[in-house]
Amino acid sequence: MRATVLVRPKPGILDPQGEAVGSALGHLGFEVQDARVGKVIDLEVDALDAAAAKAAVEQMCEKLLANPLIESYEIEVTA
Amino acid sequence: MRATVLVRPKPGILDPQGEAVGSALGHLGFEVQDARVGKVIDLEVDALDAAAAKAAVEQMCEKLLANPLIESYEIEVTA
């Protein structure tokens, strides 16, 4: 099953990449109030059903894909 | 308006970060066939409506956020 994980810096956590993007967009003439940059991870997971796939990907997030102290994650599983 | 942009390496383009993630997940005992890593960018854009916001973010993608040669992007605008 295909899973998409969005990993984002939690609110209040410093995001230098986002600040750089926001400032660069400003210099290019775009009106942007706030920019935050995170990761999107697409995975093809071996699992019997969507619930099992989601549980496995949650484990992957806790162990490797995200740092739960400073990042939040969101998982979407598609067939 | 809030916009979320997903920037992903195009199919066929080498993705060393994705390969590293896939291999690390394998070592941790997870069954993962394929892993690709891209960026998620959350923006707060000044625009009159969703169509204008999307058009502006498309410009941002072409000029800064994505490299259209090797990356594809997907834009979602919410109120």
Side-chain angles (χ1 to χ4, degrees), chain A:
Chain A
M1 319 209 77
R2 290 213 64 81
T4 297
V5 184
L6 300 182
V7 179
R8 294 178 162 111
K10 285 187 178 172
I13 296 290
L14 203 65
D15 173 21
Q17 207 183 345
E19 280 174 28
V21 164
S23 142
L25 287 172
H27 287 124
L28 287 172
F30 293 110
E31 304 272 352
V32 169
Q33 257 29 273
D34 184 39
R36 306 279 286 174
V37 175
K39 284 173 291 184
V40 53
I41 302 146
D42 293 303
L43 300 166
E44 179 71 42
V45 188
D46 280 350
L48 290 176
D49 56 31
K54 190 165 183 181
V57 176
E58 251 171 46
Q59 285 291 310
M60 296 177 203
C61 287
E62 293 290 333
K63 287 193 180 163
L64 181 81
L65 302 178
N67 177 346
L69 284 176
I70 57 169
E71 292 171 322
S72 62
Y73 57 85
E74 206 177 296
I75 300 168
E76 196 184 308
V77 175
T78 50

Side-chain angles (χ1 to χ4, degrees), chain A residues 4 6 8 21 25 31-44 46 59-60 64-65, chain B residues 4 6 8 21 25 30-44 46 59-60 64-65:
Chain A
T4 297
L6 300 182
R8 294 178 162 111
V21 164
L25 287 172
E31 304 272 352
V32 169
Q33 257 29 273
D34 184 39
R36 306 279 286 174
V37 175
K39 284 173 291 184
V40 53
I41 302 146
D42 293 303
L43 300 166
E44 179 71 42
D46 280 350
Q59 285 291 310
M60 296 177 203
L64 181 81
L65 302 178
Chain B
T4 296
L6 299 181
R8 295 178 162 111
V21 164
L25 287 173
F30 294 108
E31 304 273 350
V32 170
Q33 256 29 273
D34 184 40
R36 306 279 286 173
V37 176
K39 285 173 291 185
V40 53
I41 303 145
D42 293 304
L43 300 165
E44 179 73 42
D46 281 349
Q59 285 291 311
M60 295 177 204
L64 182 81
L65 301 179

